[in-house]
Short mmCIF file of all heavy atoms in Angstrom, two decimals:
data_model
loop_
_atom_site.label_atom_id
_atom_site.label_comp_id
_atom_site.label_asym_id
_atom_site.label_seq_id
_atom_site.Cartn_x
_atom_site.Cartn_y
_atom_site.Cartn_z
N ALA A 83 -120.34 175.16 139.14
CA ALA A 83 -120.27 176.20 140.17
C ALA A 83 -120.37 177.56 139.49
O ALA A 83 -120.31 177.67 138.27
CB ALA A 83 -118.95 176.07 140.93
N CYS A 84 -120.51 178.57 140.29
CA CYS A 84 -120.65 179.93 139.77
C CYS A 84 -119.31 180.62 139.65
O CYS A 84 -118.33 180.25 140.29
CB CYS A 84 -121.55 180.73 140.72
SG CYS A 84 -121.85 182.41 140.15
N CYS A 85 -119.32 181.59 138.82
CA CYS A 85 -118.27 182.60 138.72
C CYS A 85 -116.90 182.01 138.43
O CYS A 85 -116.77 181.17 137.56
CB CYS A 85 -118.29 183.45 139.98
SG CYS A 85 -119.96 184.01 140.42
N TRP A 86 -115.90 182.46 139.17
CA TRP A 86 -114.52 182.06 138.89
C TRP A 86 -114.26 180.58 139.18
O TRP A 86 -113.32 180.01 138.65
CB TRP A 86 -113.54 182.93 139.67
CG TRP A 86 -113.64 182.74 141.16
CD1 TRP A 86 -114.45 183.42 142.02
CD2 TRP A 86 -112.94 181.79 141.93
NE1 TRP A 86 -114.32 182.94 143.28
CE2 TRP A 86 -113.37 181.93 143.27
CE3 TRP A 86 -111.98 180.82 141.65
CZ2 TRP A 86 -112.88 181.15 144.31
CZ3 TRP A 86 -111.50 180.05 142.69
CH2 TRP A 86 -111.96 180.22 144.01
N GLU A 87 -115.11 179.96 140.01
CA GLU A 87 -114.92 178.53 140.33
C GLU A 87 -115.32 177.61 139.19
O GLU A 87 -114.91 176.46 139.14
CB GLU A 87 -115.74 178.15 141.57
CG GLU A 87 -115.24 178.78 142.84
CD GLU A 87 -116.06 178.34 144.03
OE1 GLU A 87 -117.31 178.33 143.93
OE2 GLU A 87 -115.46 177.98 145.04
N LYS A 88 -116.12 178.11 138.27
CA LYS A 88 -116.70 177.30 137.21
C LYS A 88 -115.65 176.64 136.30
O LYS A 88 -115.78 175.47 135.97
CB LYS A 88 -117.65 178.20 136.43
CG LYS A 88 -117.88 177.89 135.01
CD LYS A 88 -118.84 178.88 134.37
CE LYS A 88 -118.35 180.29 134.44
NZ LYS A 88 -119.29 181.26 133.93
N LEU A 89 -114.61 177.37 135.91
CA LEU A 89 -113.63 176.84 134.97
C LEU A 89 -112.29 177.52 135.19
O LEU A 89 -112.19 178.74 135.09
CB LEU A 89 -114.11 177.04 133.53
CG LEU A 89 -113.27 176.46 132.41
CD1 LEU A 89 -113.10 174.95 132.56
CD2 LEU A 89 -113.89 176.79 131.06
N GLN A 90 -111.27 176.73 135.49
CA GLN A 90 -109.93 177.25 135.76
C GLN A 90 -108.89 176.42 135.02
O GLN A 90 -109.18 175.32 134.57
CB GLN A 90 -109.64 177.18 137.27
CG GLN A 90 -110.64 177.88 138.14
CD GLN A 90 -110.44 177.55 139.61
OE1 GLN A 90 -109.45 176.97 140.01
NE2 GLN A 90 -111.41 177.92 140.41
N GLU A 91 -107.68 176.95 134.96
CA GLU A 91 -106.53 176.24 134.39
C GLU A 91 -106.85 175.65 133.01
O GLU A 91 -106.65 174.47 132.75
CB GLU A 91 -106.06 175.15 135.35
CG GLU A 91 -105.66 175.68 136.71
CD GLU A 91 -105.42 174.58 137.73
OE1 GLU A 91 -105.22 173.40 137.33
OE2 GLU A 91 -105.42 174.90 138.93
N VAL A 92 -107.31 176.49 132.12
CA VAL A 92 -107.81 176.06 130.82
C VAL A 92 -106.70 175.98 129.77
O VAL A 92 -105.87 176.88 129.67
CB VAL A 92 -108.91 177.03 130.33
CG1 VAL A 92 -109.39 176.67 128.94
CG2 VAL A 92 -110.05 177.05 131.31
N THR A 93 -106.72 174.90 129.00
CA THR A 93 -105.91 174.79 127.78
C THR A 93 -106.85 174.35 126.67
O THR A 93 -107.79 173.58 126.90
CB THR A 93 -104.77 173.76 127.91
OG1 THR A 93 -105.31 172.48 128.23
CG2 THR A 93 -103.78 174.17 129.00
N VAL A 94 -106.60 174.86 125.48
CA VAL A 94 -107.43 174.52 124.33
C VAL A 94 -106.54 173.94 123.25
O VAL A 94 -105.58 174.57 122.83
CB VAL A 94 -108.20 175.75 123.80
CG1 VAL A 94 -109.08 175.38 122.62
CG2 VAL A 94 -109.02 176.40 124.91
N SER A 95 -106.88 172.73 122.82
CA SER A 95 -106.15 172.06 121.75
C SER A 95 -107.03 171.97 120.53
O SER A 95 -108.23 171.67 120.64
CB SER A 95 -105.76 170.64 122.18
OG SER A 95 -104.98 170.68 123.34
N ALA A 96 -106.44 172.23 119.37
CA ALA A 96 -107.19 172.15 118.12
C ALA A 96 -107.14 170.73 117.59
O ALA A 96 -106.09 170.11 117.56
CB ALA A 96 -106.60 173.11 117.09
N ARG A 97 -108.29 170.21 117.23
CA ARG A 97 -108.36 168.89 116.59
C ARG A 97 -108.50 169.09 115.08
O ARG A 97 -108.02 168.30 114.31
CB ARG A 97 -109.54 168.09 117.14
CG ARG A 97 -109.37 167.80 118.62
CD ARG A 97 -110.46 166.97 119.20
NE ARG A 97 -111.73 167.11 118.51
CZ ARG A 97 -112.83 166.51 118.87
NH1 ARG A 97 -112.83 165.72 119.89
NH2 ARG A 97 -113.95 166.68 118.21
N SER A 98 -109.20 170.15 114.68
CA SER A 98 -109.33 170.54 113.28
C SER A 98 -109.78 172.00 113.29
O SER A 98 -109.85 172.61 114.36
CB SER A 98 -110.35 169.65 112.57
OG SER A 98 -111.66 169.96 112.99
N GLY A 99 -110.11 172.54 112.14
CA GLY A 99 -110.53 173.94 112.08
C GLY A 99 -111.77 174.25 112.88
O GLY A 99 -111.91 175.33 113.44
N ASP A 100 -112.68 173.30 112.95
CA ASP A 100 -113.95 173.52 113.64
C ASP A 100 -114.15 172.57 114.81
O ASP A 100 -115.29 172.31 115.21
CB ASP A 100 -115.12 173.39 112.66
CG ASP A 100 -115.20 174.57 111.71
OD1 ASP A 100 -114.82 175.68 112.11
OD2 ASP A 100 -115.62 174.37 110.56
N ALA A 101 -113.07 172.04 115.36
CA ALA A 101 -113.18 171.13 116.51
C ALA A 101 -112.00 171.37 117.44
O ALA A 101 -110.85 171.41 117.00
CB ALA A 101 -113.21 169.68 116.05
N VAL A 102 -112.31 171.56 118.72
CA VAL A 102 -111.28 171.77 119.73
C VAL A 102 -111.60 170.91 120.95
O VAL A 102 -112.72 170.44 121.12
CB VAL A 102 -111.16 173.26 120.17
CG1 VAL A 102 -110.77 174.15 119.01
CG2 VAL A 102 -112.43 173.75 120.83
N THR A 103 -110.60 170.74 121.78
CA THR A 103 -110.79 170.10 123.07
C THR A 103 -110.37 171.11 124.13
O THR A 103 -109.25 171.63 124.09
CB THR A 103 -109.94 168.82 123.19
OG1 THR A 103 -110.35 167.91 122.17
CG2 THR A 103 -110.12 168.17 124.55
#
Side-chain angles (χ1 to χ4, degrees):
C84 182
C85 313
W86 66 271
E87 291 182 315
K88 152 180 59 185
L89 184 59
Q90 304 169 11
E91 301 170 18
V92 176
T93 59
V94 181
S95 301
R97 297 183 332 182
S98 72
D100 288 329
V102 298
T103 299

